[in-house]
Amino acid sequence: LNPQKSFIRWAVEQGHTVFVISWINPDERHGTKSWEAYIREGLQYGLDTIEKATGEKDVNAVGYCVGGTLLAAALALMAQEGDHRIKSATFFTTQVDFTYAGDLKVFVDEEQVAAVEKAMNEKGYLDGTKMATAFNMLRSGDLIWPYVVNNYMRGKDPLPFDLLYWNADSTRMGAANHSFYLRNCYLENRLSQGMMELAGRVVSLKDVTIPVYNLAAKEDHIAPALSVFLGSKYFGGEVDYVMAGSGHIAGVVNPPAAQKYHYWTGGKPGGDFDQWIAEAINHPGSWWPHWQRWVEAKDNTRVPARKPGKHMKTLGDAPGTYVKVRV
C-alpha cells in the first residue's frame, strides 16, 4: 500500500504508539502450531514485548478478519486467566459468530474440510495459491475474468492498483491452526456458543467485558455486515457497531484525505439488522476519525513521542522481513 493509505501511519500521526504483529508465512516447521500457540507466542508475547519496550502494560488492541477472531478468542481466555492488559478491542471486519458467514461457506462442509486437512497434513500447511484461488473464485467477475479478457486475450497490461496487488500477495496457513479455525468457527460455530476449548478451558465471549469497537463493511462478502452485527451481542461489555462503506479491504483502508465512501453509526447492535440500518446515521467519508474519538473517550492521556529501539534492539525497518517471503 502507498503511505497515504496506511492506517498505521495515520494512527501514529494521531499520537498512538503502534506495535504490529507480523505473522510469519508458515512452512512445515509451523504445522503443529495451534490457536493457543498463536495466542501465547504471538499475541501475549507481543504484549510482553510492548511492556519491555515502553514500560506500559495497558494496550488498545486491533484485530483484522481472522486476526480479529483470534483476538476475540484470546480475550475470552485471558479474562479467565486474569490477564487484563488489553483495555479495549477494535475488530475490523471480524466474525465471532458464523451463522451467516458469507460466501466462504460454499467451501466449508465436512467433506471439503477433511480434504483440506489431508492436503495440509502432507506438507504442514495449506498452500497460499489455494487460499488465493478460493477468494478469487468468490468474485470471479472482478478478480479472474477481467484479467483473462484484458491481459490474455487483448494483450493489455493490468492497471496498477495497490489494493489488488496487496490482495494478490497470498499467504500459507499452518495445518493445526487452520484446521482449528475451520472446524471451531465455520463448521461448529463454537466461539459464539461458548463451547470453544483453549488451554484446557471452555471460553466464553461473555467474559470479554472491555469496550469493543466492531467495524463491519457494507459490501463485505467475506465477513458480511449482518454477521458482524449479530456477533456483537455475544460480548459481555459495551459494543459500538459501525458499518463502513465498500468491502472487506477498501472499507477498512479508507483514509480521511480520500474523502470516499460513508460510514454508519447507530444505537446498540441489537434487534433487527435492517431496522438498525434504517435508523443509523449516515456520515460522509472515513470512519477513522470516528474511531480516534472513540479511543480518546476511553483515555486521552498523552506522553512524549517514543523512539523505536530505545529500550530494545530493533531487527530492522518496518514492515519487517516476514512480508518479503514469497509463496
Side-chain angles (χ1 to χ4, degrees), residues 279-294:
E279 297 175 357
I281 301 172
N282 183 325
H283 308 268
S286 172
W287 57 270
W288 293 10
H290 180 267
W291 173 83
Q292 172 67 14
R293 293 191 294 272
W294 180 85

Side-chain angles (χ1 to χ4, degrees), residues 57-69:
K57 290 185 177 181
D58 296 349
V59 171
N60 297 309
V62 179
Y64 196 158
C65 191
V66 63
T69 310

Side-chain angles (χ1 to χ4, degrees), residues 95 100-103 216-218 220-229 241:
Q95 297 179 103
Y100 301 100
D103 295 350
K218 185 179 181 181
D220 195 338
H221 63 287
I222 296 171
L226 169 63
S227 182
V228 177
F229 177 85
Y241 176 82

